[in-house]
């Protein structure tokens, strides 16, 4: 792994390291599928967003079988999506290869990780001419904490992981193109940029910000620099930036215009004008200006880059400085080699962080999008200050094995985290969650019901209207429509009046009740308001619905009540009395 690429050994070395990369990918695939089969696919998908993406994917698969390939084009252009339009489509296409199951659909994250690693490795090797640094970069990448975060990691089926990979690929290609100096390479930057925006609409702001800043910097160079060579280089970059920006704006702008209403409702109403942003901030314990300013820098370093990566980078950097003993002036001279790349990567890091910080609604997931440009900047810093080839030959033999040692540490961490279930609830709770959702789905199947209305007194990701629908599809191979009532949408985290709550309960075929006080610490207005009338909900439900199932999850009692049936159909009127029993 300590090879330096020369024209003489280029072909042979590339073949060797290609085999090593393929072997690495095979190990990662084994870990991924083993963990998914044991700990992911059999149980509910944690976090609310996953449920919606899985259900949207299954709906698209069903529509594809019913109506043919035209639904794929409709999905790409449908105007109701506020966040992105290709993720569900890609998951559905993978199901055509791996089958209609969660493992095949979730594999989209593994595909993106492979693509990111390949581009990351090739770009570092190409830009530095050194394979040892490419493997050091791979060690940093494999040790990232964000890869296996419970929310937004590789086992989480939503757009955050693919956006993390695509933005990482995009920034790598920026470096590969020498910051838009090479026109042919800039076109590939454009292609990945378009895919990134279609995957996550909001990233158009990141891309636009980086392109705009680079355009301004190169314009300033032409204005202030008398060097004819630098002026010509800046002029070429400006031309390619304008060309790239025009193509991205034309192709992505039309798609964003189709979703303008959905985007406005989701981002402007939800993140700017509405009250939900304060609830989300308080959910993370953020109440002060300082808390908002430092949330993402702290989150990125701790939760996404991670201690192991920082320690490895620090150890390798410390050894490099000790071995080479460069002066401060020499250090700055070496860093000039990648001056343009440092500027570009700095913009790719700072612009997203600044925009995310401005948003009052914070998320523990989205900061991971800048992890790859941070790693790439660390590797290029290492490439600039790493001991020169002559001095490296004079180093002790163990020093030349540092890239292999870094990879061994990173791969060990990858295997350990990849097979770990520490982010998952206790298995007994997972099994009870599955049984609760399957009981509701089976109740509908046994009574030949294709549509149910449902209320619940608690907002949790493991029990809501979407969970029984998902298990109905996956376990019973049956599509079940569930209309959400109390505990969902505007009647979810927000405070709901007693009158509206009773009205929604009366309109529900299925009611899930817990209790009024246990584990209601989340700062949802619902949790405070429901204590005022929960006893009335409990009394009304026991009088007018029949107990179907009861269990305990995370120490919270769960009771499922259903509308009494007559002739195999739910009664349309509320009965005056009812009897509870365990079905």
């Amino acid at each position: 792994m300590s090879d330096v690429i020369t024209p003489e050994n280029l072909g042979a070395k590339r073949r060797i390291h290609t085999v090593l990369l393929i072997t690495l990918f095979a190990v990662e695939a084994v870990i991924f599928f083993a963990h998914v089969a044991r700990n992911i696919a059999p149980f509910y998908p944690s976090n609310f967003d996953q449920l919606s993406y899985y259900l949207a994917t299954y709906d698209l698969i069903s529509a594809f079988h019913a109506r043919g390939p035209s639904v794929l084009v409709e999905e790409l252009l449908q105007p109701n999506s506020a966040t992105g339009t290709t993720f569900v489509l890609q998951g559905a296409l993978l199901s055509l290869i791996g089958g209609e199951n969660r493992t095949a659909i979730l594999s989209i994250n593994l595909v993106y990780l492979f693509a990111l690693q390949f581009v990351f490795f090739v770009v570092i090797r190409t830009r530095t001419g050194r394979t040892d640094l490419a493997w050091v970069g791979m060690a940093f990448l494999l040790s990232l904490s964000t890869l296996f975060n419970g929310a937004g990691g590789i086992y989480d089926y939503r757009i955050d992981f693919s956006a993390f990979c695509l933005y990482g690929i995009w920034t790598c290609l920026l470096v590969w193109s020498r910051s838009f100096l090479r026109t042919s390479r800039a076109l590939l930057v454009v292609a990945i940029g378009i895919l990134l925006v279609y995957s996550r609409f909001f990233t158009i702001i990141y891309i636009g910000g980086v392109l705009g800043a680079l355009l301004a910097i190169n314009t300033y160079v032409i204005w202030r620099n008398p060097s004819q060579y630098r002026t010509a280089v800046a002029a070429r970059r400006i031309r390619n930036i304008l060309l790239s920006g025009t193509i991205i704006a034309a192709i992505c702008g039309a798609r964003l215009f189709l979703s303008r209403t959905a985007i406005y409702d989701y981002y402007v109403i939800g993140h700017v004008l509405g009250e939900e942003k304060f609830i989300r901030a308080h959910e993370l314990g953020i109440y002060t200006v300082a808390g908002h300013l430092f949330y993402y820098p702290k989150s990125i370093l701790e939760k996404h880059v991670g201690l192991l990566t920082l320690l490895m980078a620090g150890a390798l950097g410390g050894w490099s400085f000790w071995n080479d003993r460069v002066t401060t002036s020499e250090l700055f001279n070496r860093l000039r080699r990648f001056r343009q790349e440092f500027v570009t990567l700095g913009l790719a890091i700072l612009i997203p962080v600044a925009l995310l910080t401005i948003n009052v609604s914070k998320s523990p997931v989205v900061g991971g999008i800048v992890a790859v440009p941070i790693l790439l900047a660390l590797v290029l810093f290492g490439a600039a200050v790493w001991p020169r080839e002559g001095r490296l030959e004079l180093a002790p033999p163990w020093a030349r094995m540092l890239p292999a040692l870094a990879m061994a540490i990173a791969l060990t961490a990858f295997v350990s985290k990849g097979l770990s279930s520490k982010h998952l609830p206790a298995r007994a709770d997972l099994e009870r969650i599955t049984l609760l959702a399957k009981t509701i789905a089976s109740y509908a199947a046994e009574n030949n019901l294709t549509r149910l209305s449902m209320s619940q007194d608690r907002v949790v990701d493991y029990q809501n209207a979407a969970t029984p629908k998902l298990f109905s599809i996956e376990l019973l191979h049956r599509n079940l429509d569930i209309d959400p009532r109390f505990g969902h949408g505007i009647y979810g985290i927000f405070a709901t009046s007693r009158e509206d709550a009773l009205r929604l309960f009366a309109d529900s075929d299925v009611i899930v009740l817990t209790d009024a006080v246990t584990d209601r610490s989340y700062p949802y207005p619902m949790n405070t308001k429901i204590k005022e009338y929960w006893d009335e909900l409990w009394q009304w439900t026991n009088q007018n619905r029949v107990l179907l199932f009861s269990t305990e999850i995370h120490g919270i009692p769960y009771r499922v009540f259903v509308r009494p049936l007559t002739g195999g159909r739910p009664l349309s009127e509320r009965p005056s009395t009812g009897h509870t029993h365990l079905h």
Side-chain angles (χ1 to χ4, degrees):
M1 291 185 179
S2 59
D3 300 317
V4 176
I5 297 176
T6 64
E8 292 77 18
N9 65 16
L10 179 61
K13 299 305 182 185
R14 278 187 173 177
R15 285 192 293 272
I16 292 172
H17 294 290
T18 298
V19 171
L20 289 175
L21 277 177
I22 293 173
T23 303
L24 175 63
F25 292 169
V27 171
E28 293 171 1
V30 169
I31 294 168
F32 176 86
F33 289 115
H35 184 73
V36 169
R38 175 173 171 77
N39 295 310
I40 304 297
F43 305 113
Y44 90 101
S46 60
N47 305 307
F48 290 102
D49 289 349
Q50 279 203 91
L51 273 171
S52 62
Y53 283 117
Y54 274 121
L55 290 175
T57 304
Y58 281 125
D59 287 343
L60 181 59
I61 293 170
S62 177
F64 175 81
H65 290 307
R67 296 162 47 202
S70 63
V71 300
L72 303 180
V73 178
E74 294 174 9
E75 173 66 23
L76 190 64
L77 300 177
Q78 62 94 8
N80 296 324
S81 176
T83 55
T85 191
T86 59
F87 184 69
V88 167
L89 176 60
Q90 292 164 355
L93 290 174
L94 271 182
S95 74
L96 300 179
I97 301 172
E100 298 174 23
N101 56 78
R102 208 187 304 176
T103 300
I105 295 171
L106 185 57
S107 298
I108 187 65
N109 285 349
L110 183 64
V111 172
Y112 272 120
L113 180 61
F114 288 163
L116 171 60
Q117 291 176 100
F118 177 77
V119 172
F120 191 69
F121 183 91
V122 171
V123 167
I124 293 173
R125 185 172 65 179
T126 301
R127 187 64 189 91
T128 66
R130 299 184 62 171
T131 308
D132 55 350
L133 290 173
W135 283 110
V136 167
M138 288 290 285
F140 291 168
L141 185 58
L142 286 178
S143 65
L144 281 176
S145 293
T146 197
L147 295 182
F148 297 109
N149 280 344
I154 194 170
Y155 298 125
D156 192 28
Y157 184 68
R158 50 177 159 175
I159 59 178
D160 297 283
F161 190 83
S162 61
F164 150 77
C165 292
L166 282 170
Y167 191 72
I169 293 171
W170 187 73
T171 54
C172 286
L173 294 177
L174 282 179
V175 170
W176 185 60
S177 71
R178 302 292 298 274
S179 301
F180 290 102
L181 181 61
R182 300 190 178 184
T183 304
S184 59
R185 295 183 178 185
L187 293 177
L188 186 55
V189 176
V190 170
I192 296 300
I194 292 170
L195 178 58
L196 172 61
V197 174
Y198 270 67
S199 296
R200 183 162 202 158
F201 292 155
F202 191 78
T203 55
I204 187 68
I205 302 178
Y206 303 161
I207 291 176
V210 172
L211 295 186
L214 288 174
L215 181 64
I217 290 171
N218 284 281
T219 302
Y220 179 80
V221 168
I222 292 178
W223 178 48
R224 297 289 295 178
N225 202 309
S227 168
Q228 185 175 2
Y229 170 75
R230 290 186 177 179
T231 299
V233 168
R236 174 176 288 188
R237 285 194 170 114
I238 288 174
R239 183 194 66 189
N240 289 334
I241 291 170
L242 289 174
L243 176 62
S244 302
T246 301
I247 296 173
I248 292 174
I251 296 177
C252 296
R255 181 62 191 83
L256 295 175
F257 183 78
L258 287 176
S259 290
R260 62 192 182 281
T261 302
I263 292 172
Y264 179 84
D265 291 341
Y266 184 84
Y267 287 108
V268 179
I269 300 298
H271 287 251
V272 179
L273 303 179
E275 294 297 315
E276 185 178 351
K277 61 181 180 291
F278 299 111
I279 297 174
R280 298 303 180 189
H282 295 167
E283 201 174 12
L284 297 171
I286 303 173
Y287 297 93
T288 65
V289 173
H292 281 280
L293 289 176
F294 292 105
Y295 176 78
Y296 280 113
K298 183 178 179 181
S299 172
I300 290 165
L301 291 178
E302 292 182 356
K303 304 298 183 182
H304 297 288
V305 176
L307 181 61
L308 178 60
T309 305
L310 294 175
L311 286 176
M312 286 200 301
L316 289 171
W319 172 81
S320 176
F321 285 126
W322 174 83
N323 188 73
D324 218 15
R325 291 180 172 83
V326 295
T327 63
T328 303
S329 59
E330 173 64 17
L331 173 63
F332 282 106
N333 285 333
R334 290 184 180 184
L335 292 177
R336 292 173 64 87
R337 175 186 176 192
F338 298 110
R339 178 175 54 186
Q340 183 65 42
E341 284 79 3
F342 288 138
V343 170
T344 301
L345 291 172
L347 293 172
I349 295 166
L350 294 176
I351 287 174
V353 172
L355 291 170
L356 291 172
T357 300
I358 292 171
N359 188 359
V360 173
S361 177
K362 299 295 189 290
S363 166
V365 177
V366 295
I369 199 165
V370 300
V372 174
I374 289 174
L375 295 191
L376 193 52
L378 288 175
V379 173
L380 292 180
F381 181 89
V385 304
W386 194 265
R388 305 298 91 187
E389 286 76 8
R391 297 205 56 142
L392 188 60
E393 292 299 324
L394 298 176
W398 63 264
R400 294 194 290 272
M401 295 300 294
L402 283 176
L405 177 61
M407 272 300 300
I409 294 172
L411 190 55
T412 300
F414 186 93
V415 173
S416 176
K417 293 178 181 178
L419 297 176
S420 172
S421 57
K422 70 176 184 178
H423 290 298
L424 301 175
R427 199 168 190 87
D429 285 318
L430 288 173
E431 291 170 349
R432 293 187 192 110
I433 292 167
T434 302
L435 183 58
L436 191 155
K438 186 178 179 180
T439 297
I440 297 173
S442 298
Y443 161 79
E446 291 166 2
N447 293 283
N448 199 29
L449 303 174
T450 59
R451 192 179 189 87
L452 293 173
S453 55
M454 178 175 164
S455 287
Q456 61 187 51
D457 68 346
R458 186 177 297 267
V459 177
V460 289
D461 67 342
Y462 54 82
Q463 173 50 48
N464 53 72
T467 314
K469 178 178 174 66
L470 179 72
F471 280 106
S472 181
I473 294 171
E474 292 185 339
L475 300 180
L476 305 179
H477 307 291
R478 184 175 184 269
N479 195 17
L480 174 65
D481 289 331
I482 301 183
D483 292 331
R485 296 291 190 265
F486 185 80
H488 304 82
I490 61 171
Y491 302 111
I493 64 175
F494 302 105
T496 301
S497 68
R498 169 187 173 278
E499 293 73 18
D500 283 338
L502 288 171
R503 173 180 57 82
L504 293 166
F505 267 51
D507 192 36
S508 298
D509 301 315
V510 176
I511 296 172
V512 181
L513 282 177
T514 59
D515 65 23
V517 295
T518 305
D519 197 29
R520 290 190 180 272
S521 59
Y522 281 109
Y524 298 152
M526 172 201 194
N527 284 334
T528 301
K529 185 67 175 179
I530 200 172
K531 295 176 183 178
E532 300 175 7
Y533 53 76
W534 188 89
D535 289 340
E536 292 184 63
L537 297 178
W538 171 257
Q539 183 179 5
W540 184 93
T541 302
N542 275 278
Q543 291 175 348
N544 296 280
R545 296 293 184 266
V546 176
L547 181 64
L548 176 70
F549 176 78
S550 64
T551 188
E552 184 176 286
I553 301 171
H554 301 308
I556 303 170
Y558 277 82
R559 303 172 184 87
V560 179
F561 295 86
V562 296
R563 192 191 297 269
L565 298 177
T566 176
R569 305 299 299 171
L571 288 173
S572 58
E573 297 180 357
R574 287 184 288 167
S576 58
T577 61
H579 303 284
T580 63
H581 66 277
L582 188 62
H583 181 75

